[in-house]
Amino acid sequence: MKQLSVSRKHEGLFKFMFIIFFFAISLSGMAQEKTLGLRLGWGGGLSYVQSITDDQDLELILSPRWGGIILTGLYERKVPLSFNSWNLCYGGGLHVGYHHRYNYVGEGFNGDPLYINLGFDLIAGIKYRFDSFPIEVSADYKPSIELLAKRNLLLEEFGISCRYLIFQD
């Protein structure tokens, strides 16, 4: 019976994080481009990129992690390369979320209590936008520092993203 009430509480937190993610997307109505897709890899999930200017983006990543969910917000700068449609990107941001166990790989859930995730993220990678159809792909590295967890430095977050251009000014 106790587990049932805990799972409902976690379900509520998941819904809250999901609503925040889509609320942030809906508030971003003045930008030039919007892309939505998947980020695959450790720390992957739903990825939304909002252009602020020609060389600045805001990225939101909603990730299932350690039996919980994490929302990451990143500010990114783009540096065009001499090749058409290629950009280097780098930046940083914050993440917040929750999980059900210590964030060590391999530990079981076994009724572990709820833990809050809060920390800083960096990101560096490369993006390619296809000219002939509305797809953007990227490969990046996103290390993070946890402020409230037992494992403070997470270095394994490599990702490959594929996003669809949902709006272009």
Side-chain angles (χ1 to χ4, degrees):
M1 196 74 162
K2 196 174 189 181
Q3 268 188 334
L4 182 60
S5 65
V6 170
S7 66
R8 284 183 184 160
K9 187 188 307 181
H10 295 163
E11 181 181 311
L13 285 171
F14 173 77
K15 288 178 183 177
F16 177 73
M17 297 291 290
F18 202 72
I19 288 168
I20 295 254
F21 179 78
F22 282 103
F23 181 70
I25 289 172
S26 68
L27 287 179
S28 58
M30 295 177 23
Q32 298 171 343
E33 296 177 351
K34 300 175 186 183
T35 59
L36 181 65
L38 294 176
R39 181 176 193 268
L40 304 174
W42 197 261
L46 192 58
S47 172
Y48 171 78
V49 177
Q50 171 82 44
S51 288
I52 300 169
T53 65
D54 287 341
D55 64 345
Q56 299 175 37
D57 288 340
L58 174 66
E59 182 171 4
L60 297 173
I61 303 169
L62 188 62
S63 305
R65 193 81 182 268
W66 301 306
I69 192 97
I70 296 175
L71 178 63
T72 304
L74 299 165
Y75 168 78
E76 299 173 3
R77 298 284 307 214
K78 292 187 291 191
V79 179
L81 297 175
S82 59
F83 320 110
N84 289 339
S85 302
W86 287 93
N87 289 293
L88 290 177
C89 62
Y90 64 92
L94 301 169
H95 66 267
V96 64
Y98 73 94
H99 66 276
H100 299 284
R101 63 180 172 141
Y102 295 109
N103 57 351
Y104 292 102
V105 175
E107 286 190 15
F109 294 99
N110 299 329
D112 291 336
L114 179 68
Y115 294 93
I116 301 298
N117 291 82
L118 178 66
F120 300 102
D121 297 82
L122 296 173
I123 191 164
I126 190 164
K127 293 182 180 183
Y128 178 76
R129 170 74 54 85
F130 289 94
D131 292 329
S132 56
F133 50 96
I135 298 289
E136 177 182 82
V137 294
S138 65
D140 60 60
Y141 176 58
K142 189 180 77 64
S144 62
I145 297 172
E146 290 287 337
L147 299 177
L148 303 176
K150 289 192 173 196
R151 182 176 173 203
N152 294 354
L153 189 59
L154 300 173
L155 300 174
E156 67 269 5
E157 293 199 19
F158 290 94
I160 295 174
S161 300
C162 182
R163 291 180 287 271
Y164 180 75
L165 183 63
I166 56 176
F167 178 78
Q168 185 171 14
D169 202 8

